[in-house]
């Protein structure tokens, strides 16, 4: 059972930066997708939106709303994926979840989430 543990959320002013980390409990094989989603206030779990992910095959996908501001990276030796968030906006306020989709069925593992609040 893979466990994903996020850290790095918090309260930041508009224009500020945060760096999120997601540590996996073990080396994950057969990864189809690895990265970050977010759930905005008042939205349901099914309405989580993709923020930035690595896909198998080498592609990296960003939501249009974060392109040029957020950067996803990974450290395979530490089984960790990061999300550097710059020039944060109030509309970035959400709970951010780490996600790994594994195997031919794209089985989803989720972290517990970390709150990011952008407010003056």
């Amino acid at each position: 059972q893979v466990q994903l543990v996020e850290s790095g959320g918090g309260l930041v002013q508009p224009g500020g930066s945060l760096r999120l980390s997601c540590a996996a409990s073990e080396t994950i094989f057969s990864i189809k997708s690895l990265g970050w989603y977010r759930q905005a206030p008042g939205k349901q779990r099914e309405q989580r939106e993709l923020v930035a992910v690595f896909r198998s095959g080498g592609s990296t996908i960003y939501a249009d709303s974060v392109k040029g501001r957020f950067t996803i990276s990974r450290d395979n030796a530490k089984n960790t994926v990061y999300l550097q968030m710059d020039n944060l906006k109030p509309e970035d306020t959400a709970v951010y979840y780490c996600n790994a989709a594994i195997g031919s069925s794209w089985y989803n593992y989720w972290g517990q989430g970390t709150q990011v609040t952008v407010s003056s």
Side-chain angles (χ1 to χ4, degrees):
Q1 183 79 2
V2 175
Q3 292 184 327
L4 303 173
V5 179
E6 301 102 334
S7 60
L11 172 64
V12 64
Q13 293 186 342
S17 298
L18 284 174
R19 188 192 194 207
L20 306 183
S21 299
C22 170
S25 58
E26 60 189 77
T27 300
I28 304 175
F29 298 97
S30 301
I31 292 179
K32 298 298 185 182
S33 179
L34 175 65
W36 297 91
Y37 287 71
R38 66 188 180 187
Q39 185 172 341
K43 299 291 188 179
Q44 300 299 313
R45 177 187 175 100
E46 296 75 21
Q47 297 172 292
R48 289 179 186 175
E49 62 171 346
L50 182 150
V51 177
V53 296
F54 294 111
R55 296 286 195 205
S56 61
S59 63
T60 304
I61 300 173
Y62 289 94
D64 287 341
S65 59
V66 307
K67 285 180 181 176
R69 300 188 298 120
F70 291 12
T71 304
I72 188 172
S73 62
R74 63 195 293 180
D75 185 334
N76 290 333
K78 296 181 179 180
N79 295 329
T80 301
V81 62
Y82 304 96
L83 185 67
Q84 177 65 42
M85 304 185 293
D86 297 317
N87 190 22
L88 282 159
K89 303 176 180 181
E91 52 263 42
D92 295 317
T93 295
V95 179
Y96 284 69
Y97 293 90
C98 184
N99 169 269
I102 299 171
S104 58
S105 63
W106 287 65
Y107 185 87
N108 280 293
Y109 290 92
W110 294 95
Q112 82 285 356
T114 186
Q115 177 71 47
V116 172
T117 302
V118 185
S119 175
S120 55

